[in-house]
Amino acid sequence: GYVLQIGIDFLFYFFISFLLLLFSMDILQWNIRGVAGNREELALLLGQRPRVVCLQETLIGSDKSLDLNGYSCKHVNISRGNALCIRSDTLFSPVQLDTPLEAVAARISLHKTITVCSLYLSPSTTVSKTVLMNLVGQLPEPFIIVGDLNGHSPRWGSERQNIQGKVIEDVIDQLDLCLLNSGSPTYCAPSGALSHLDLAICHPSLFLDLEWQTHDDLCGSDHFPAFLTFSESNTENPQLRWKFSRADWDRFRLLASGRISDDILNSDDPVLSFSENLLQCANDTIPKTSVKCSTTKTPWFDDECKEIHRQRKQAQRSP
């Protein structure tokens, strides 16, 4: 009985950690063109609670680190700055990379454990196929590579192809990778011309799991933010989030003590029986709310800000 109680306590804390990870599975990728100048816009995007945030051109000095409330950030600064930030309730482990490229990666527990790599390729230099393939070879499978790669190719919507685009194409083909881009432009030049510079490339085993789309606003940058969403989370019913702050933990422990006993070990499937009983205890004692009700509030975003935001979007759509 004592050993079983230790096991119950361990699985209880594991279960709570698992519930924290279960309901939001988004990845945000964005060339932010300077964190300092777009911090408010970034706060609005973070209000959607993405699990992973990949930012290129952070424009943070090499002697500084990126600090986002509620996120653990790993930042590299070779030319313009590149960051990979993971929400604090998400399990991850950094992946050490040996590359001259401005890349940062981590193994992250989403709906399954995957490697996410944020990559920035400068438009002023052309990466070699060997260097790019070497980076891909260091990423544990399955993986996603997102970032501003500054490669042009008709394959992802460009009207022309440049050398960097050809290198990226060759790597995708040679390693049997998949491109997640939908064809939407990701960059708006000062002239208003649109192009496709930001890519999302994944291991083939993830291709059917992910959907990619761009934001309808530049959000202060010259690149549109893009979102990667796991298709498992795109259901017609709104997803629910456990409200742990309002849980009745005393009743939870009481119910768990009654429903979880040595008899579970004698069932046909002890793990399934334990999980069902523990989940029932949670359903009876922990309220839930939809994700929409739990997004981060931004008090400074008043009616005047909303009107200016609307006017900016209207101007952006104007020829």
Side-chain angles (χ1 to χ4, degrees):
Y2 176 72
V3 174
L4 179 62
Q5 185 60 47
I6 293 176
I8 290 174
D9 290 342
F10 171 78
L11 289 173
F12 165 72
Y13 289 112
F14 175 81
F15 173 75
I16 296 302
S17 298
F18 174 75
L19 292 180
L20 283 167
L21 301 175
L22 191 59
F23 295 102
S24 179
M25 299 185 181
D26 298 325
I27 299 173
L28 165 66
Q29 66 171 108
W30 188 25
N31 181 321
I32 192 171
R33 200 182 62 169
V35 171
N38 288 309
R39 189 169 288 274
E40 289 80 9
E41 298 279 0
L42 179 59
L44 288 175
L45 293 172
L46 295 183
Q48 301 181 40
R49 302 272 299 160
R51 293 278 295 284
V52 182
V53 179
C54 300
L55 300 175
Q56 297 82 46
E57 290 202 81
T58 59
L59 305 185
I60 295 176
S62 57
D63 59 335
K64 298 180 181 179
S65 59
L66 178 61
D67 181 22
L68 295 183
N69 186 34
Y71 286 81
S72 299
C73 297
K74 187 175 181 182
H75 183 260
V76 295
N77 191 348
I78 296 175
S79 60
R80 307 281 285 178
N82 180 27
L84 175 65
C85 304
I86 300 103
R87 211 172 69 193
S88 56
D89 58 9
T90 302
L91 301 175
F92 75 97
S93 60
V95 174
Q96 299 301 320
L97 300 175
D98 181 13
T99 178
L101 301 177
E102 198 151 23
V104 57
R107 294 283 284 166
I108 305 174
S109 294
L110 300 177
H111 73 306
K112 58 183 175 182
T113 302
I114 64 173
T115 301
V116 179
C117 177
S118 179
L119 176 63
Y120 174 72
L121 301 180
S122 171
S124 61
T125 58
T126 301
V127 63
S128 72
K129 185 168 71 172
T130 300
V131 170
L132 189 55
M133 290 184 68
N134 179 265
L135 170 65
V136 176
Q138 297 179 55
L139 303 177
E141 298 176 356
F143 56 79
I144 304 170
I145 303 171
V146 298
D148 179 9
L149 306 191
N150 280 297
H152 294 274
S153 170
R155 182 177 296 189
W156 46 83
S158 303
E159 295 182 356
R160 60 184 179 88
Q161 183 183 70
N162 64 357
I163 298 176
Q164 194 130 292
K166 180 64 167 61
V167 168
I168 296 168
E169 272 193 9
D170 290 345
V171 171
I172 290 174
D173 292 339
Q174 190 164 337
L175 298 180
D176 295 323
L177 304 180
C178 297
L179 183 68
L180 293 164
N181 288 55
S182 64
S184 299
T186 66
Y187 172 76
C188 182
S191 64
L194 300 174
S195 56
H196 310 69
L197 303 179
D198 304 87
L199 302 180
I201 301 167
C202 73
H203 186 270
S205 66
L206 296 176
F207 181 65
L208 297 179
D209 295 341
L210 291 159
E211 295 181 6
W212 181 94
Q213 62 179 347
T214 56
H215 199 288
D216 62 356
D217 187 81
L218 289 167
C219 300
S221 176
D222 50 4
H223 290 249
F224 293 94
F227 297 93
L228 280 158
T229 305
F230 288 96
S231 55
E232 290 183 1
S233 65
N234 288 339
T235 58
E236 293 183 1
N237 298 322
Q239 295 178 1
L240 300 179
R241 187 180 299 280
W242 300 88
K243 299 182 70 174
F244 295 109
S245 61
R246 295 179 57 188
D248 186 344
W249 293 116
D250 291 336
R251 184 163 178 255
F252 179 93
R253 291 185 178 90
L254 181 63
L255 291 176
S257 298
R259 291 175 179 169
I260 301 174
S261 65
D262 293 330
D263 294 338
I264 288 179
L265 299 176
N266 300 321
S267 63
D268 293 335
D269 190 337
V271 174
L272 178 61
S273 180
F274 174 85
S275 300
E276 289 178 343
N277 279 278
L278 194 61
L279 185 59
Q280 186 60 52
C281 294
N283 285 328
D284 291 344
T285 58
I286 307 174
K288 301 175 185 176
T289 185
S290 66
V291 172
K292 291 182 179 180
C293 296
S294 61
T295 54
T296 302
K297 304 298 183 184
T298 50
W300 52 266
F301 197 75
D302 56 14
D303 290 340
E304 183 179 358
C305 289
K306 291 178 182 178
E307 175 60 21
I308 294 174
H309 190 258
R310 186 194 67 79
Q311 293 176 11
R312 188 183 70 183
K313 291 178 68 174
Q314 184 178 26
Q316 181 179 304
R317 291 192 296 266
S318 302

